[in-house]
């Protein structure tokens, strides 16, 4: 028997803020700059939804430890510049939040500093302040379940009563591994077929989410 929903856990990048396009563009540019001619499709497959540590490991394996440090530092610099210039909430997200009456929180692969910046720039930080969790707080990032289980514990909710809103394959995999239902947002970079799977509802317009949560 499916438990009633008691908590909606939101990913941040690509779900709350439309930052994945910026991140992918910056990663491709860094690859060209530092000697890894990576494509946007490869960035989506390798980096999107994963922690900074995971990205750093992959860059180090390809280019060496020193290049990985440079890559990470340059990413923070270039990403911040682009966020300040152009970041917006995901289309339809503010309206969806206004219509959702269930408790919510954020659980992201990004750092707290990054989320303070991106959520702050888009006027969303106050909606989630005190209920924001980062992969930096757990042993393993997505696709491991650690982050979502940690968020559920902090919020005092049984994982079986949680749902996760995600836009990446590692994210929906992490939700399933945590024993949570997933809502895969396919209105961003990740194709719908990469989000599909057990206990997962794929949708394309964030304005659909409130109705899906009460269906």
């Amino acid at each position: 028997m499916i438990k009633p929903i008691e908590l909606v856990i939101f990913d941040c990048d690509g779900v709350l803020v439309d930052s994945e396009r910026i991140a992918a563009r910056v990663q491709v540019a860094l690859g060209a700059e530092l000697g890894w001619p990576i494509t946007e499709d490869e960035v989506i497959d390798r980096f999107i939804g994963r922690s900074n540590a995971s990205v750093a490991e992959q860059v180090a394996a390809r280019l060496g430890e020193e290049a990985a440090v440079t890559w990470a530092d340059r990413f923070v610099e270039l990403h911040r510049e682009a966020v300040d210039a152009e970041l917006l909430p995901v289309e339809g997200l503010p309206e969806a939040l206004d219509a959702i009456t269930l408790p919510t929180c954020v659980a992201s692969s990004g750092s707290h500093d990054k989320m303070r910046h991106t959520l702050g720039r888009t006027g969303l930080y106050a909606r989630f302040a005190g209920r924001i969790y980062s992969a930096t707080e757990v042993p393993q990032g997505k696709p491991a379940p650690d982050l979502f289980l940690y968020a559920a514990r902090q919020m005092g909710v049984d994982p079986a009563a949680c749902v996760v809103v995600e836009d990446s394959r590692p994210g929906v995999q992490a939700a399933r591994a945590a024993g949570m239902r997933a809502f895969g947002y396919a209105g961003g970079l990740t194709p719908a077929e990469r989000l599909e799977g057990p206990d997962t509802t794929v949708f394309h317009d964030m304005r659909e989410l409130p109705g899906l949560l009460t269906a």
Side-chain angles (χ1 to χ4, degrees), residues 82-211:
V83 162
D84 285 343
E86 61 190 270
L87 186 65
L88 296 169
V90 165
E91 186 179 354
L93 185 278
E95 300 96 307
L97 290 179
D98 287 343
I100 292 170
T101 57
L102 292 160
T104 60
C105 70
V106 178
S108 171
S109 295
S111 67
H112 279 287
D113 281 347
K114 181 181 174 186
M115 286 188 279
R116 270 191 293 272
H117 185 222
T118 57
L119 294 173
R121 290 294 300 181
T122 51
L124 295 172
Y125 189 81
R127 289 183 182 255
F128 297 102
R131 309 187 315 281
I132 300 174
Y133 309 105
S134 166
T136 60
E137 299 173 79
V138 296
Q140 296 185 86
K142 306 167 191 178
D146 303 28
L147 177 58
F148 292 143
L149 292 174
Y150 175 72
R153 282 197 305 275
Q154 296 300 112
M155 296 293 292
V157 178
D158 183 341
C162 298
V163 298
V164 174
V165 186
E166 264 287 355
D167 71 316
S168 72
R169 177 156 48 177
V172 293
Q173 289 171 334
R176 293 174 199 139
M180 301 176 183
R181 285 166 281 168
F183 289 84
Y185 174 62
L189 289 183
T190 303
E193 59 268 20
R194 294 193 191 181
L195 301 173
E196 292 169 350
D199 299 316
T200 303
T201 301
V202 176
F203 67 108
H204 293 80
D205 187 327
M206 200 55 75
R207 286 171 283 254
E208 298 174 50
L209 183 60

Side-chain angles (χ1 to χ4, degrees), residues 34 56-57 59-60 63-76:
L34 297 173
E57 285 172 11
V59 175
L63 301 176
E65 294 288 346
E66 187 175 335
V69 172
T70 300
W71 186 301
D73 289 345
R74 290 281 290 143
F75 179 82
V76 169

